[in-house]
Amino acid sequence: MTDEARPSGACQVCDGRTTGFLDLGRQPLSDRFLTEADLSTEFFFHLAVGVCETCTMVQLMEAVPREQMFHEDYPYYSSGSETMRKHFADTARGFLEAELSGPDSFFVEIGSNDGVLLATVHEAGVRHLGFEPSGKVAAAARDRGLRVRGDFFEEATAIEVRASDGPADVIYAANTICHIPYLRSIFLGVDELLAPEGIFVFEDPYLGDILDKTSFDQIYDEHFYFFSARSVAAMAARFGFELVDVERLPVHGGEVRYTIARAGVRRPTAAVAELIAEEDAAGVAGLERLEHFATKVNGIRTDLLALLEQLKADGKRVVAYGATAKSATLANFCGIGPDLVSWVCDTTPAKQGRLTPGTHLPVRPASEFSSESADYALLFAWNHAEEIMAKEQEFRKAGGRWILYVPDVHLK
Ligand code: SAM
Ligand code: TMP
Ligand code: ZN
């Protein structure tokens, strides 16, 4: 594509110029599961991704207002996966040992959801506070005895907590910071609330993994940023902080945990420079690499549609497994509706009995899934493949086949 033909915008972190490299078209809210009555008022926006020429941050070209996404009925419950329950219990124990052993330590979580991580901190008797604006998931955490404030974390709310509770030793967020376009306000809030020697730690899907696996379904309304070590280091420096550690994580298809401290307070580990060097060698934020990714995305759409059309022509019964937010991008970009996939099963009661965003596949309880009901299962929750395939062994044994589309379309 020529420079003039590429769409451009303004970077939400540094005001630099962003250049678009992938257009995923008109998309719905990825976590809005609909009743028949909702169909006429469904919200859509334009999903396209660009990269900042100045700070290398990869980001959406259009932001969805936060209240459209995070509200009373937000249906994602973090405790829904056994793998993630273990991941967060281990993460909390790591903080308890390394950072929270002082006499009156204070742990703050941004996007604490149903309390999957805070529960371990609370059990250890350490002072904690969650910020969680989505009503029902926050209520689930409070029902477990956890302390949760029902607000968005930002500069103003951070100032209030600093005044009432004092400085935090650790401010942590999983799968939340990449959801927040207004990162300047987040860093100003962290600056207010974090103790002088404290750390701000967040983990989110990693741009390097998304490119390597062509996991373009990681791109949806809630995922506004696609972080790399280089872009996070630049962002931290811009706001007076420093990236002092990175750790790659296997969860959710590949993430990185970034540890940030006030500039000059902690010595950066070798892992930071190593990951940045790896990214530079792979051209992670270069337009050439990003446009190659976009080409592969189009290839996956072509291959998946060809397979689904063939299975339909052969009279096979095809369903999907896991009504993930990610699958909204895949289904809407490829045009996968009930003509190609009859329904999708999911363990989340708040999603069951509803229709998926945009292409309106009916969501049924996971208990309805079996080889009696389907010949093929499109694994929307591919990031939980191990856990799901382990508990659905009968499906495969009875001749059922899984359809995967990461890193390419294949059967298992
Ligand atoms: N941390 C959990 C996990 O990793 O499973 C939840 C992740 S969920 C994808 C993102 C959560 O962040 C939602 O529960 C949403 O309500 C919350 N959230 C979004 N913006 C926020 C903000 N500014 N402050 C606090 N929470 C926020
Ligand atoms: P996630 O990929 O964003 O974590 O979403 C996973 C979705 O898949 C969530 O709606 C719960 C659902 N799910 C199942 O239905 N069965 C399972 O075994 C697992 C792990 C998840
Ligand atoms: Zn920028």
Side-chain angles (χ1 to χ4, degrees):
M1 205 187 273
T2 60
D3 281 351
E4 304 77 63
R6 291 187 181 109
S8 64
C11 174
Q12 296 295 310
V13 177
C14 80
D15 286 332
R17 199 177 99 105
T18 55
T19 305
F21 62 87
L22 175 63
D23 190 335
L24 293 162
R26 184 174 174 265
Q27 290 277 349
L29 300 169
S30 61
D31 261 321
R32 180 96 164 88
F33 290 81
L34 310 146
T35 62
E36 292 284 343
D38 297 327
L39 292 179
S40 57
T41 55
E42 190 167 13
F43 178 98
F44 288 91
F45 74 108
H46 183 191
L47 182 62
V49 207
V51 58
C52 175
E53 290 168 7
T54 310
C55 75
T56 77
M57 185 65 82
V58 172
Q59 58 199 277
L60 298 192
M61 308 287 279
E62 180 183 328
V64 169
R66 64 187 188 180
E67 289 78 11
Q68 288 279 2
M69 300 183 282
F70 309 117
H71 46 68
E72 184 61 19
D73 293 317
Y74 181 67
Y76 183 74
Y77 286 73
S78 304
S79 296
S81 149
E82 192 188 326
T83 312
M84 294 313 296
R85 289 197 296 274
K86 180 172 183 317
H87 171 77
F88 288 126
D90 290 347
T91 301
R93 279 193 285 271
F95 286 132
L96 288 166
E97 277 166 29
E99 305 287 340
L100 301 169
S101 54
D104 188 28
S105 297
F106 182 34
F107 179 87
V108 171
E109 184 175 2
I110 305 174
S112 50
N113 200 271
D114 61 7
V116 65
L117 182 137
L118 283 183
T120 304
V121 177
H122 178 51
E123 276 158 26
V126 168
R127 219 154 45 90
H128 69 274
L129 178 68
F131 276 84
E132 181 45 72
S134 295
K136 286 186 182 147
V137 293
R142 286 189 203 103
D143 288 347
R144 301 166 83 164
L146 302 172
R147 203 173 148 235
V148 178
R149 195 182 155 122
D151 296 310
F152 288 94
F153 181 91
E154 56 195 333
E155 187 186 7
T157 49
I159 289 172
E160 287 176 19
V161 171
R162 169 67 208 231
S164 58
D165 292 63
D169 300 285
V170 177
I171 301 178
Y172 170 77
N175 307 300
T176 299
I177 298 303
C178 77
H179 293 51
I180 303 181
Y182 44 99
L183 286 182
R184 181 181 160 74
S185 178
I186 297 298
F187 272 91
L188 290 172
V190 169
D191 198 17
E192 289 287 343
L193 184 55
L194 194 67
E197 315 241 306
I199 48 171
F200 173 34
V201 181
F202 55 91
E203 57 194 62
D204 287 288
Y206 178 49
L207 177 63
D209 284 310
I210 294 172
L211 298 181
D212 284 347
K213 296 178 184 167
T214 322
S215 48
F216 71 98
D217 56 349
Q218 292 282 12
I219 303 166
Y220 53 91
D221 55 350
E222 294 174 23
H223 286 180
F224 188 84
Y225 292 109
F226 304 89
F227 295 137
S228 64
R230 177 169 286 292
S231 65
V232 169
M235 172 169 74
R238 183 173 181 82
F239 297 116
F241 290 82
E242 188 173 12
L243 178 61
V244 295
D245 196 20
V246 288
E247 184 186 348
R248 292 189 76 157
L249 306 171
V251 296
H252 287 314
E255 300 207 325
V256 168
R257 177 177 295 158
Y258 304 92
T259 301
I260 284 170
R262 294 181 191 283
V265 166
R266 295 198 186 199
R267 180 195 289 268
T269 63
V272 176
E274 282 165 16
L275 191 56
I276 291 176
E278 208 178 290
E279 291 170 358
D280 288 351
V284 158
L287 263 185
E288 197 183 328
R289 177 86 179 85
L290 297 170
E291 286 184 338
H292 177 63
F293 166 76
T295 304
K296 289 209 294 187
V297 170
N298 286 305
I300 288 178
R301 171 165 63 176
T302 306
D303 293 349
L304 185 57
L305 280 178
L307 174 63
L308 294 175
E309 295 284 2
Q310 185 61 52
L311 294 176
K312 181 180 168 184
D314 293 346
K316 301 294 185 194
R317 295 164 305 171
V318 184
V319 304
Y321 202 110
T324 58
K326 289 184 286 297
S327 63
T329 295
L330 179 89
N332 286 276
F333 179 63
C334 299
I336 300 171
D339 56 324
L340 294 176
V341 168
S342 309
W343 43 268
V344 49
C345 71
D346 196 285
T347 49
T348 315
K351 297 182 181 179
Q352 294 161 2
R354 300 210 165 207
L355 301 168
T356 60
T359 68
H360 307 154
L361 307 176
V363 185
R364 298 205 194 162
S367 54
E368 292 187 23
F369 176 78
S370 71
S371 53
E372 315 264 286
S373 61
D375 302 308
Y376 289 81
L378 179 57
L379 188 55
F380 280 162
W382 56 266
N383 48 314
H384 302 293
E386 215 175 301
E387 183 174 340
I388 290 171
M389 287 183 187
K391 74 178 164 199
E392 300 290 3
Q393 289 180 27
E394 286 308 315
F395 171 66
R396 185 74 182 64
K397 278 190 200 145
R401 288 287 175 274
W402 296 99
I403 304 172
L404 288 122
Y405 48 91
V406 176
D408 51 22
V409 178
H410 61 283
L411 296 178
K412 209 160 177 174

mmCIF file of all heavy atoms in Angstrom, residues 193-227:
data_model
loop_
_atom_site.group_PDB
_atom_site.id
_atom_site.type_symbol
_atom_site.label_atom_id
_atom_site.label_comp_id
_atom_site.label_asym_id
_atom_site.label_seq_id
_atom_site.Cartn_x
_atom_site.Cartn_y
_atom_site.Cartn_z
ATOM 1 N N LEU A 193 -0.796 7.383 43.653
ATOM 2 C CA LEU A 193 -1.120 6.325 44.616
ATOM 3 C C LEU A 193 0.063 5.425 44.976
ATOM 4 O O LEU A 193 0.095 4.845 46.069
ATOM 5 C CB LEU A 193 -2.274 5.481 44.036
ATOM 6 C CG LEU A 193 -2.868 4.365 44.891
ATOM 7 C CD1 LEU A 193 -3.330 4.896 46.247
ATOM 8 C CD2 LEU A 193 -4.045 3.710 44.168
ATOM 9 N N LEU A 194 1.033 5.300 44.093
ATOM 10 C CA LEU A 194 2.113 4.327 44.316
ATOM 11 C C LEU A 194 3.128 4.843 45.350
ATOM 12 O O LEU A 194 3.538 6.008 45.296
ATOM 13 C CB LEU A 194 2.822 4.053 42.982
ATOM 14 C CG LEU A 194 3.737 2.834 42.942
ATOM 15 C CD1 LEU A 194 2.933 1.535 43.086
ATOM 16 C CD2 LEU A 194 4.523 2.798 41.616
ATOM 17 N N ALA A 195 3.525 3.956 46.257
ATOM 18 C CA ALA A 195 4.578 4.296 47.223
ATOM 19 C C ALA A 195 5.874 4.598 46.461
ATOM 20 O O ALA A 195 6.063 4.097 45.339
ATOM 21 C CB ALA A 195 4.786 3.120 48.182
ATOM 22 N N PRO A 196 6.803 5.377 47.052
ATOM 23 C CA PRO A 196 8.031 5.759 46.324
ATOM 24 C C PRO A 196 8.782 4.562 45.738
ATOM 25 O O PRO A 196 9.292 4.620 44.631
ATOM 26 C CB PRO A 196 8.873 6.467 47.390
ATOM 27 C CG PRO A 196 7.871 6.966 48.396
ATOM 28 C CD PRO A 196 6.715 6.001 48.380
ATOM 29 N N GLU A 197 8.824 3.450 46.483
ATOM 30 C CA GLU A 197 9.565 2.274 45.994
ATOM 31 C C GLU A 197 8.633 1.200 45.443
ATOM 32 O O GLU A 197 9.063 0.074 45.194
ATOM 33 C CB GLU A 197 10.368 1.669 47.148
ATOM 34 C CG GLU A 197 11.096 2.693 47.974
ATOM 35 C CD GLU A 197 12.586 2.502 47.950
ATOM 36 O OE1 GLU A 197 13.008 1.387 48.257
ATOM 37 O OE2 GLU A 197 13.310 3.463 47.607
ATOM 38 N N GLY A 198 7.367 1.549 45.273
ATOM 39 C CA GLY A 198 6.377 0.549 44.849
ATOM 40 C C GLY A 198 6.489 0.201 43.375
ATOM 41 O O GLY A 198 7.252 0.813 42.625
ATOM 42 N N ILE A 199 5.702 -0.813 42.966
ATOM 43 C CA ILE A 199 5.712 -1.215 41.550
ATOM 44 C C ILE A 199 4.304 -1.240 40.977
ATOM 45 O O ILE A 199 3.333 -1.569 41.672
ATOM 46 C CB ILE A 199 6.390 -2.588 41.317
ATOM 47 C CG1 ILE A 199 5.869 -3.643 42.307
ATOM 48 C CG2 ILE A 199 7.898 -2.461 41.353
ATOM 49 C CD1 ILE A 199 6.343 -5.051 41.990
ATOM 50 N N PHE A 200 4.257 -0.899 39.708
ATOM 51 C CA PHE A 200 3.026 -0.972 38.923
ATOM 52 C C PHE A 200 3.243 -2.117 37.935
ATOM 53 O O PHE A 200 4.170 -2.065 37.115
ATOM 54 C CB PHE A 200 2.825 0.372 38.212
ATOM 55 C CG PHE A 200 1.694 0.423 37.224
ATOM 56 C CD1 PHE A 200 0.516 -0.294 37.411
ATOM 57 C CD2 PHE A 200 1.784 1.234 36.085
ATOM 58 C CE1 PHE A 200 -0.529 -0.219 36.504
ATOM 59 C CE2 PHE A 200 0.734 1.322 35.169
ATOM 60 C CZ PHE A 200 -0.421 0.590 35.388
ATOM 61 N N VAL A 201 2.422 -3.156 38.051
ATOM 62 C CA VAL A 201 2.625 -4.371 37.248
ATOM 63 C C VAL A 201 1.370 -4.635 36.426
ATOM 64 O O VAL A 201 0.264 -4.640 36.977
ATOM 65 C CB VAL A 201 2.883 -5.593 38.174
ATOM 66 C CG1 VAL A 201 3.126 -6.853 37.343
ATOM 67 C CG2 VAL A 201 4.061 -5.331 39.108
ATOM 68 N N PHE A 202 1.537 -4.842 35.129
ATOM 69 C CA PHE A 202 0.362 -5.238 34.335
ATOM 70 C C PHE A 202 0.738 -6.281 33.308
ATOM 71 O O PHE A 202 1.871 -6.343 32.829
ATOM 72 C CB PHE A 202 -0.327 -4.024 33.688
ATOM 73 C CG PHE A 202 0.535 -3.140 32.848
ATOM 74 C CD1 PHE A 202 0.663 -3.363 31.477
ATOM 75 C CD2 PHE A 202 1.194 -2.065 33.409
ATOM 76 C CE1 PHE A 202 1.435 -2.521 30.689
ATOM 77 C CE2 PHE A 202 1.978 -1.217 32.631
ATOM 78 C CZ PHE A 202 2.101 -1.442 31.267
ATOM 79 N N GLU A 203 -0.228 -7.137 32.999
ATOM 80 C CA GLU A 203 -0.001 -8.192 32.011
ATOM 81 C C GLU A 203 -1.138 -8.178 30.998
ATOM 82 O O GLU A 203 -2.312 -8.039 31.359
ATOM 83 C CB GLU A 203 0.123 -9.558 32.699
ATOM 84 C CG GLU A 203 -1.048 -9.969 33.561
ATOM 85 C CD GLU A 203 -0.723 -11.163 34.464
ATOM 86 O OE1 GLU A 203 0.176 -11.033 35.309
ATOM 87 O OE2 GLU A 203 -1.383 -12.211 34.321
ATOM 88 N N ASP A 204 -0.757 -8.283 29.750
ATOM 89 C CA ASP A 204 -1.724 -8.169 28.648
ATOM 90 C C ASP A 204 -1.225 -8.983 27.470
ATOM 91 O O ASP A 204 -0.039 -9.305 27.390
ATOM 92 C CB ASP A 204 -1.841 -6.692 28.239
ATOM 93 C CG ASP A 204 -2.604 -5.857 29.268
ATOM 94 O OD1 ASP A 204 -3.824 -6.030 29.349
ATOM 95 O OD2 ASP A 204 -1.973 -5.068 29.999
ATOM 96 N N PRO A 205 -2.135 -9.294 26.508
ATOM 97 C CA PRO A 205 -1.699 -10.022 25.311
ATOM 98 C C PRO A 205 -0.513 -9.307 24.658
ATOM 99 O O PRO A 205 -0.479 -8.078 24.573
ATOM 100 C CB PRO A 205 -2.938 -9.973 24.411
ATOM 101 C CG PRO A 205 -4.083 -9.884 25.365
ATOM 102 C CD PRO A 205 -3.580 -9.019 26.492
ATOM 103 N N TYR A 206 0.445 -10.124 24.219
ATOM 104 C CA TYR A 206 1.717 -9.584 23.722
ATOM 105 C C TYR A 206 1.702 -9.460 22.200
ATOM 106 O O TYR A 206 1.393 -10.432 21.497
ATOM 107 C CB TYR A 206 2.845 -10.518 24.179
ATOM 108 C CG TYR A 206 4.215 -10.113 23.700
ATOM 109 C CD1 TYR A 206 4.660 -8.816 23.837
ATOM 110 C CD2 TYR A 206 5.058 -11.054 23.117
ATOM 111 C CE1 TYR A 206 5.930 -8.445 23.398
ATOM 112 C CE2 TYR A 206 6.331 -10.707 22.689
ATOM 113 C CZ TYR A 206 6.751 -9.389 22.826
ATOM 114 O OH TYR A 206 7.995 -9.021 22.389
ATOM 115 N N LEU A 207 2.052 -8.297 21.712
ATOM 116 C CA LEU A 207 2.060 -8.046 20.267
ATOM 117 C C LEU A 207 2.901 -9.091 19.523
ATOM 118 O O LEU A 207 2.500 -9.580 18.461
ATOM 119 C CB LEU A 207 2.582 -6.630 19.983
ATOM 120 C CG LEU A 207 2.706 -6.254 18.513
ATOM 121 C CD1 LEU A 207 1.354 -6.264 17.805
ATOM 122 C CD2 LEU A 207 3.376 -4.881 18.364
ATOM 123 N N GLY A 208 4.056 -9.445 20.084
ATOM 124 C CA GLY A 208 4.932 -10.428 19.423
ATOM 125 C C GLY A 208 4.218 -11.752 19.207
ATOM 126 O O GLY A 208 4.317 -12.365 18.132
ATOM 127 N N ASP A 209 3.468 -12.206 20.204
ATOM 128 C CA ASP A 209 2.724 -13.473 20.064
ATOM 129 C C ASP A 209 1.583 -13.330 19.065
ATOM 130 O O ASP A 209 1.292 -14.260 18.303
ATOM 131 C CB ASP A 209 2.155 -13.905 21.422
ATOM 132 C CG ASP A 209 3.225 -14.495 22.323
ATOM 133 O OD1 ASP A 209 3.959 -15.384 21.859
ATOM 134 O OD2 ASP A 209 3.333 -14.058 23.481
ATOM 135 N N ILE A 210 0.897 -12.197 19.092
ATOM 136 C CA ILE A 210 -0.226 -11.988 18.169
ATOM 137 C C ILE A 210 0.276 -12.048 16.723
ATOM 138 O O ILE A 210 -0.336 -12.689 15.866
ATOM 139 C CB ILE A 210 -0.926 -10.641 18.468
ATOM 140 C CG1 ILE A 210 -1.585 -10.707 19.853
ATOM 141 C CG2 ILE A 210 -1.954 -10.295 17.388
ATOM 142 C CD1 ILE A 210 -2.146 -9.385 20.348
ATOM 143 N N LEU A 211 1.426 -11.442 16.476
ATOM 144 C CA LEU A 211 1.981 -11.466 15.112
ATOM 145 C C LEU A 211 2.452 -12.869 14.746
ATOM 146 O O LEU A 211 2.168 -13.368 13.653
ATOM 147 C CB LEU A 211 3.134 -10.467 14.986
ATOM 148 C CG LEU A 211 2.772 -8.992 15.222
ATOM 149 C CD1 LEU A 211 4.011 -8.115 15.052
ATOM 150 C CD2 LEU A 211 1.665 -8.520 14.285
ATOM 151 N N ASP A 212 3.152 -13.515 15.683
ATOM 152 C CA ASP A 212 3.685 -14.858 15.385
ATOM 153 C C ASP A 212 2.561 -15.859 15.117
ATOM 154 O O ASP A 212 2.697 -16.748 14.290
ATOM 155 C CB ASP A 212 4.521 -15.382 16.558
ATOM 156 C CG ASP A 212 5.881 -14.713 16.611
ATOM 157 O OD1 ASP A 212 6.252 -14.050 15.623
ATOM 158 O OD2 ASP A 212 6.564 -14.846 17.648
ATOM 159 N N LYS A 213 1.463 -15.739 15.880
ATOM 160 C CA LYS A 213 0.371 -16.722 15.767
ATOM 161 C C LYS A 213 -0.744 -16.257 14.845
ATOM 162 O O LYS A 213 -1.740 -16.957 14.690
ATOM 163 C CB LYS A 213 -0.217 -16.990 17.155
ATOM 164 C CG LYS A 213 0.788 -17.621 18.103
ATOM 165 C CD LYS A 213 0.214 -17.839 19.480
ATOM 166 C CE LYS A 213 1.326 -18.379 20.376
ATOM 167 N NZ LYS A 213 1.002 -18.360 21.782
ATOM 168 N N THR A 214 -0.605 -15.080 14.290
ATOM 169 C CA THR A 214 -1.692 -14.456 13.509
ATOM 170 C C THR A 214 -3.013 -14.510 14.294
ATOM 171 O O THR A 214 -4.080 -14.783 13.737
ATOM 172 C CB THR A 214 -1.851 -15.109 12.116
ATOM 173 O OG1 THR A 214 -0.554 -15.430 11.598
ATOM 174 C CG2 THR A 214 -2.521 -14.156 11.141
ATOM 175 N N SER A 215 -2.935 -14.269 15.579
ATOM 176 C CA SER A 215 -4.149 -14.347 16.418
ATOM 177 C C SER A 215 -4.874 -12.992 16.385
ATOM 178 O O SER A 215 -4.951 -12.286 17.378
ATOM 179 C CB SER A 215 -3.803 -14.767 17.840
ATOM 180 O OG SER A 215 -2.721 -14.024 18.354
ATOM 181 N N PHE A 216 -5.397 -12.696 15.210
ATOM 182 C CA PHE A 216 -6.026 -11.379 15.012
ATOM 183 C C PHE A 216 -7.321 -11.230 15.790
ATOM 184 O O PHE A 216 -7.836 -10.124 15.933
ATOM 185 C CB PHE A 216 -6.263 -11.119 13.520
ATOM 186 C CG PHE A 216 -7.355 -11.958 12.919
ATOM 187 C CD1 PHE A 216 -8.637 -11.447 12.765
ATOM 188 C CD2 PHE A 216 -7.106 -13.254 12.506
ATOM 189 C CE1 PHE A 216 -9.659 -12.218 12.210
ATOM 190 C CE2 PHE A 216 -8.112 -14.030 11.960
ATOM 191 C CZ PHE A 216 -9.398 -13.519 11.807
ATOM 192 N N ASP A 217 -7.850 -12.355 16.306
ATOM 193 C CA ASP A 217 -9.078 -12.232 17.103
ATOM 194 C C ASP A 217 -8.793 -11.598 18.476
ATOM 195 O O ASP A 217 -9.718 -11.297 19.227
ATOM 196 C CB ASP A 217 -9.785 -13.589 17.245
ATOM 197 C CG ASP A 217 -8.911 -14.680 17.826
ATOM 198 O OD1 ASP A 217 -7.683 -14.479 17.946
ATOM 199 O OD2 ASP A 217 -9.458 -15.749 18.174
ATOM 200 N N GLN A 218 -7.512 -11.361 18.780
ATOM 201 C CA GLN A 218 -7.180 -10.583 19.988
ATOM 202 C C GLN A 218 -7.540 -9.109 19.797
ATOM 203 O O GLN A 218 -7.490 -8.315 20.734
ATOM 204 C CB GLN A 218 -5.684 -10.683 20.307
ATOM 205 C CG GLN A 218 -5.235 -12.054 20.747
ATOM 206 C CD GLN A 218 -5.583 -12.342 22.203
ATOM 207 O OE1 GLN A 218 -6.342 -11.626 22.839
ATOM 208 N NE2 GLN A 218 -5.015 -13.409 22.737
ATOM 209 N N ILE A 219 -7.870 -8.746 18.571
ATOM 210 C CA ILE A 219 -8.201 -7.343 18.267
ATOM 211 C C ILE A 219 -9.717 -7.180 18.349
ATOM 212 O O ILE A 219 -10.448 -7.769 17.546
ATOM 213 C CB ILE A 219 -7.682 -6.970 16.855
ATOM 214 C CG1 ILE A 219 -6.176 -7.228 16.761
ATOM 215 C CG2 ILE A 219 -8.016 -5.511 16.519
ATOM 216 C CD1 ILE A 219 -5.628 -7.229 15.344
ATOM 217 N N TYR A 220 -10.197 -6.452 19.340
ATOM 218 C CA TYR A 220 -11.640 -6.155 19.456
ATOM 219 C C TYR A 220 -11.813 -4.918 20.324
ATOM 220 O O TYR A 220 -10.832 -4.393 20.856
ATOM 221 C CB TYR A 220 -12.427 -7.362 19.970
ATOM 222 C CG TYR A 220 -11.971 -8.019 21.244
ATOM 223 C CD1 TYR A 220 -12.462 -7.619 22.485
ATOM 224 C CD2 TYR A 220 -11.071 -9.084 21.237
ATOM 225 C CE1 TYR A 220 -12.080 -8.242 23.661
ATOM 226 C CE2 TYR A 220 -10.673 -9.713 22.405
ATOM 227 C CZ TYR A 220 -11.185 -9.282 23.609
ATOM 228 O OH TYR A 220 -10.792 -9.907 24.777
ATOM 229 N N ASP A 221 -13.050 -4.446 20.411
ATOM 230 C CA ASP A 221 -13.319 -3.164 21.088
ATOM 231 C C ASP A 221 -12.553 -2.979 22.396
ATOM 232 O O ASP A 221 -11.945 -1.940 22.644
ATOM 233 C CB ASP A 221 -14.838 -2.992 21.333
ATOM 234 C CG ASP A 221 -15.469 -4.155 22.092
ATOM 235 O OD1 ASP A 221 -14.797 -5.191 22.277
ATOM 236 O OD2 ASP A 221 -16.637 -4.029 22.510
ATOM 237 N N GLU A 222 -12.552 -4.024 23.257
ATOM 238 C CA GLU A 222 -11.947 -3.875 24.585
ATOM 239 C C GLU A 222 -10.423 -3.830 24.521
ATOM 240 O O GLU A 222 -9.785 -3.221 25.378
ATOM 241 C CB GLU A 222 -12.389 -5.022 25.499
ATOM 242 C CG GLU A 222 -13.877 -4.974 25.802
ATOM 243 C CD GLU A 222 -14.360 -6.183 26.582
ATOM 244 O OE1 GLU A 222 -13.547 -6.839 27.260
ATOM 245 O OE2 GLU A 222 -15.568 -6.482 26.503
ATOM 246 N N HIS A 223 -9.847 -4.512 23.562
ATOM 247 C CA HIS A 223 -8.381 -4.515 23.437
ATOM 248 C C HIS A 223 -7.952 -3.324 22.594
ATOM 249 O O HIS A 223 -7.831 -3.425 21.369
ATOM 250 C CB HIS A 223 -7.893 -5.822 22.797
ATOM 251 C CG HIS A 223 -7.960 -6.984 23.736
ATOM 252 N ND1 HIS A 223 -7.577 -8.253 23.394
ATOM 253 C CD2 HIS A 223 -8.355 -7.064 25.028
ATOM 254 C CE1 HIS A 223 -7.741 -9.061 24.430
ATOM 255 N NE2 HIS A 223 -8.230 -8.358 25.426
ATOM 256 N N PHE A 224 -7.694 -2.218 23.256
ATOM 257 C CA PHE A 224 -7.366 -0.986 22.534
ATOM 258 C C PHE A 224 -5.885 -0.944 22.151
ATOM 259 O O PHE A 224 -5.525 -0.475 21.089
ATOM 260 C CB PHE A 224 -7.726 0.235 23.390
ATOM 261 C CG PHE A 224 -7.583 1.521 22.631
ATOM 262 C CD1 PHE A 224 -8.614 1.972 21.818
ATOM 263 C CD2 PHE A 224 -6.409 2.250 22.680
ATOM 264 C CE1 PHE A 224 -8.471 3.134 21.065
ATOM 265 C CE2 PHE A 224 -6.257 3.420 21.941
ATOM 266 C CZ PHE A 224 -7.300 3.857 21.134
ATOM 267 N N TYR A 225 -5.015 -1.431 23.065
ATOM 268 C CA TYR A 225 -3.564 -1.406 22.802
ATOM 269 C C TYR A 225 -3.020 -2.819 22.655
ATOM 270 O O TYR A 225 -3.504 -3.756 23.298
ATOM 271 C CB TYR A 225 -2.821 -0.747 23.973
ATOM 272 C CG TYR A 225 -3.082 0.736 24.126
ATOM 273 C CD1 TYR A 225 -3.835 1.213 25.192
ATOM 274 C CD2 TYR A 225 -2.572 1.660 23.216
ATOM 275 C CE1 TYR A 225 -4.072 2.570 25.355
ATOM 276 C CE2 TYR A 225 -2.800 3.020 23.370
ATOM 277 C CZ TYR A 225 -3.551 3.470 24.436
ATOM 278 O OH TYR A 225 -3.787 4.809 24.583
ATOM 279 N N PHE A 226 -1.956 -2.955 21.878
ATOM 280 C CA PHE A 226 -1.244 -4.216 21.712
ATOM 281 C C PHE A 226 0.202 -3.909 22.058
ATOM 282 O O PHE A 226 0.954 -3.379 21.238
ATOM 283 C CB PHE A 226 -1.458 -4.742 20.275
ATOM 284 C CG PHE A 226 -2.931 -4.865 20.010
ATOM 285 C CD1 PHE A 226 -3.646 -3.790 19.488
ATOM 286 C CD2 PHE A 226 -3.623 -5.993 20.405
ATOM 287 C CE1 PHE A 226 -5.019 -3.859 19.332
ATOM 288 C CE2 PHE A 226 -5.001 -6.068 20.255
ATOM 289 C CZ PHE A 226 -5.703 -5.003 19.722
ATOM 290 N N PHE A 227 0.549 -4.221 23.309
ATOM 291 C CA PHE A 227 1.819 -3.765 23.861
ATOM 292 C C PHE A 227 2.996 -4.608 23.394
ATOM 293 O O PHE A 227 2.880 -5.818 23.175
ATOM 294 C CB PHE A 227 1.787 -3.847 25.389
ATOM 295 C CG PHE A 227 0.780 -2.931 26.048
ATOM 296 C CD1 PHE A 227 -0.002 -3.390 27.108
ATOM 297 C CD2 PHE A 227 0.632 -1.609 25.644
ATOM 298 C CE1 PHE A 227 -0.908 -2.559 27.743
ATOM 299 C CE2 PHE A 227 -0.267 -0.763 26.276
ATOM 300 C CZ PHE A 227 -1.042 -1.241 27.329
#
